[in-house]
Amino acid sequence: MNRLMALLLALCSVLLGLLVIAYAAAGGRAAPLPHPEFGPMQVGIDAGELGAPVWAAYVAGIVMLGTMWVTMLIGFRAGHWIHRAVSAWTVGYILIFVILMWSFGAYVAGDTTIVLGFTAPTSLLVYGLSLAPWIPLIGITWKFEDAYFGREDQARFDEIVAESKSRRHSPLSGED
């Protein structure tokens, strides 16, 4: 548990550091451009400077996914299968994220395909990154009690309660 908490602190520190650097570098100062046909819509950005290199998006995204991974693991017993399943799911989720970033680069360059009715980056968002969190959520919900508070823990808890009751009702306790 201490290692997970230390890892969570490190990931949050990296994310905070990226935010401070982005703020100091005046990141995100570009303005959106209005759509030529539909006024309320906006497309792209003007020639303003975004203030951050592309690798910063990768680092920030992976750090946020790492934070999500660590927070899902906190409290679960290390030997339980849900612990390994969440770790495996996180690796897959990070791969989907990297593929999304790669496909977005191809989309910006004008080289994209239609996948399940959307452009490749949109399909990855709709069918990949949006639906994928339900997988560990369902697994964790289904096995929460066993993965978090197993039979051994329940037996120890019952033992402590029984011991407490026996002390409370013993003649030496001073209580009736």
Side-chain angles (χ1 to χ4, degrees), residues 9-28 50-67 97:
L9 178 63
L11 289 169
C12 289
S13 298
V14 169
L15 196 55
L16 182 63
L18 284 172
L19 288 172
V20 168
I21 291 168
Y23 182 75
L50 287 177
V54 174
W55 63 263
Y58 280 100
V59 171
I62 290 173
V63 167
M64 283 188 276
L65 293 174
T67 303
F97 171 74

Side-chain angles (χ1 to χ4, degrees), residues 19 30 67 76 118-119 129 157-158:
L19 288 172
T67 303
F76 290 121
F118 298 109
T119 60
L129 293 178
F157 179 76
D158 292 341

Side-chain angles (χ1 to χ4, degrees), residues 47-88:
E49 196 55 43
L50 287 177
V54 174
W55 63 263
Y58 280 100
V59 171
I62 290 173
V63 167
M64 283 188 276
L65 293 174
T67 303
M68 189 169 61
W69 167 68
V70 171
T71 55
M72 282 191 291
L73 291 181
I74 290 176
F76 290 121
R77 291 179 286 121
H80 196 275
W81 67 266
I82 200 86
H83 201 271
R84 292 184 298 274
V86 165
S87 295

Side-chain angles (χ1 to χ4, degrees), residues 109-168:
D111 181 28
T112 191
T113 58
I114 302 298
V115 179
L116 298 170
F118 298 109
T119 60
T122 305
S123 268
L124 281 165
L125 279 172
V126 170
Y127 302 120
L129 293 178
S130 306
L131 296 177
W134 286 97
I135 296 167
L137 180 64
I138 289 170
I140 288 170
T141 303
W142 177 50
K143 283 297 192 179
F144 180 79
E145 186 175 345
D146 184 46
Y148 186 74
F149 193 76
R151 291 185 193 118
E152 299 86 19
D153 299 316
Q154 183 65 49
R156 177 69 182 131
F157 179 76
D158 292 341
E159 182 181 305
I160 291 169
V161 169
E163 187 178 308
S164 172
K165 284 181 180 178
S166 70
R167 274 195 219 145
R168 192 173 7 172

